[in-house]
Amino acid sequence: MRLAVWDPDEPFRRWREALVQHAADLKLAVEVIDASAEPEAQADFALVWHPPSDWLSSQLGLRAVFNLGAGVDAVLPQMQRSLPGVPLIRLEDAGMGRQMADYVSEAVLHAWRRMADYAALQRQGRWEPLVLPPRGSFNIGFLGLGQMGFAAAKRVAAMDFPVLACSRSGQARAGFDAPWPIYPLDRLDAFLAQTRVLVVLLPLTAQTRGLLDYAALCHLPKGAHLVNASRGAVLDQDDLLDLLHSGHLASATLDVFTTEPLPQDDPLWRHPRARITPHVAAQTLVGPAAAQVMRKIAAIERGERPGGVVDARLGY
Ligand code: GLV
């Protein structure tokens, strides 16, 4: 079978080596091609990250498309337009949950230990110990409880912070042991009112685009912190800036933006209470991702339905 890889972020050679090795372990014969070098070649399976839509729609024999990341917002609309019957399959954790848990726990400790306040004192050369908020009431609210949200919430709960969550259904996914209060999305305001650090790990869908605007974020208590590591367009960046300026939000740790790279003249770069990282919270790891994709291809070959098939109606 032929696999075509389109990934502008990773040298093709790394994907080919990893895929060939895992295919051999599963006794599958594969040919792996670099779609950007051979756009005409037709494949059975495509592995993609931000593929051009004309290439994707020219692939008429695809049995499935694998998204080389957790969020499918960049490829799902193209698939619906040009390959409506072909399953789109996302990575399920594949080593990203642990990275996300690292990123989020650093941001939670940064917020709890008042590091943004200490940075402000340092700029003034002031030596001034600050009182910490009680840990037992420093609620960490996870907006989105998919694989990334669950991994991060579990780590933060293990750090002895009170955890709550908000998900579309108000329930954890099957098989996730999530013994925390979980609000449905239509009770977002009540969830936000209880949250001292808001951790946004929602997929970007028609329902979540622009969800966190000024009115929504005002439900957070004064002095709350925000962490966004899913997609920039879930929140309104201008409203976020206003709330940082007014002090309603004490800090923002941001990995994702409506425009990436974040434009040089964006005021967020220079806001003293914003911390910016370039979409690195949880990166695709070639080895675990290739192993997972090959296992899923083997399952498809056996006539089974693999995990991670995107529900186009829900958008994730
Ligand atoms: C990264 O943003 C991903 O969706 O995996």
Side-chain angles (χ1 to χ4, degrees):
M1 76 187 75
R2 188 186 264 171
L3 317 186
V5 179
W6 188 293
D7 181 0
D9 293 350
E10 199 68 59
F12 168 70
R13 170 186 53 76
R14 297 197 60 214
W15 280 117
R16 189 186 46 216
E17 281 168 13
L19 289 162
V20 165
Q21 181 209 317
H22 292 293
D25 293 347
L26 292 162
K27 311 225 174 335
L28 290 172
V30 295
E31 178 194 3
V32 186
I33 58 166
D34 180 355
S36 62
E38 295 181 69
E40 311 297 327
Q42 295 290 309
D44 302 293
F45 296 98
L47 286 66
V48 301
W49 187 243
H50 292 260
S53 50
D54 52 349
W55 173 73
L56 200 56
S57 54
S58 73
Q59 288 291 316
L60 299 175
L62 289 178
R63 294 169 59 195
V65 173
F66 291 90
N67 183 60
L68 295 175
V72 297
D73 46 289
V75 67
L76 182 60
Q78 295 180 42
M79 297 272 305
Q80 285 177 301
R81 268 195 310 276
S82 51
L83 302 171
V86 178
L88 172 62
I89 303 173
R90 63 182 145 67
L91 288 181
E92 295 178 288
D93 196 309
M96 286 189 282
R98 184 177 186 181
Q99 299 174 65
M100 189 58 88
D102 290 342
Y103 187 91
V104 169
S105 46
E106 189 278 341
V108 165
L109 288 175
H110 183 273
W112 182 55
R113 296 298 303 250
R114 302 187 58 177
M115 299 309 271
D117 293 334
Y118 282 118
L121 289 170
Q122 180 176 346
R123 283 190 291 275
Q124 300 163 39
R126 280 167 61 193
W127 179 278
E128 190 179 316
L130 301 172
V131 176
L132 290 188
R135 195 182 192 118
S137 58
F138 200 68
N139 290 348
I140 316 299
F142 287 83
L143 181 53
L145 205 53
Q147 252 120 7
M148 296 301 108
F150 180 70
K154 216 167 112 183
R155 176 85 67 82
V156 167
M159 287 158 58
D160 287 338
F161 288 100
V163 161
L164 66 160
C166 178
S167 70
R168 186 183 51 79
S169 63
Q171 284 170 358
R173 293 155 60 102
F176 285 13
D177 177 23
W180 315 301
I182 307 179
Y183 293 70
L185 205 50
D186 58 13
R187 295 198 58 221
L188 178 65
D189 298 355
F191 159 78
L192 293 174
Q194 301 297 318
T195 291
R196 299 288 297 273
V197 180
L198 173 64
V199 181
V200 184
L201 286 170
L202 282 174
L204 179 62
T205 67
Q207 197 185 11
T208 65
R209 185 177 289 277
L211 180 73
L212 295 173
D213 58 7
Y214 194 90
L217 291 170
C218 278
H219 289 282
L220 288 165
K222 184 169 164 43
H225 303 259
L226 183 142
V227 182
N228 187 9
S230 63
R231 289 294 180 265
V234 172
L235 64 83
D236 185 308
Q237 271 174 217
D238 293 334
D239 291 352
L240 169 68
L241 257 173
D242 287 348
L243 289 161
L244 282 171
H245 280 309
S246 74
H248 190 81
L249 289 179
S251 79
T253 298
L254 304 169
D255 189 50
V256 289
F257 304 90
T258 41
T259 303
E260 294 182 7
L262 183 63
Q264 262 311 307
D265 59 354
D266 195 295
L268 274 173
W269 278 115
R270 280 163 291 282
H271 197 288
R273 287 180 174 265
R275 299 194 304 155
I276 309 288
T277 50
H279 202 143
V280 290
Q283 293 175 279
T284 298
L285 302 176
V286 170
Q292 185 178 105
V293 168
M294 282 316 310
R295 279 197 303 273
K296 290 184 182 193
I297 289 177
I300 293 171
E301 289 287 280
R302 292 193 300 270
E304 296 164 13
R305 181 185 158 90
V309 176
V310 170
D311 180 334
R313 282 166 312 138
L314 296 178
Y316 61 91

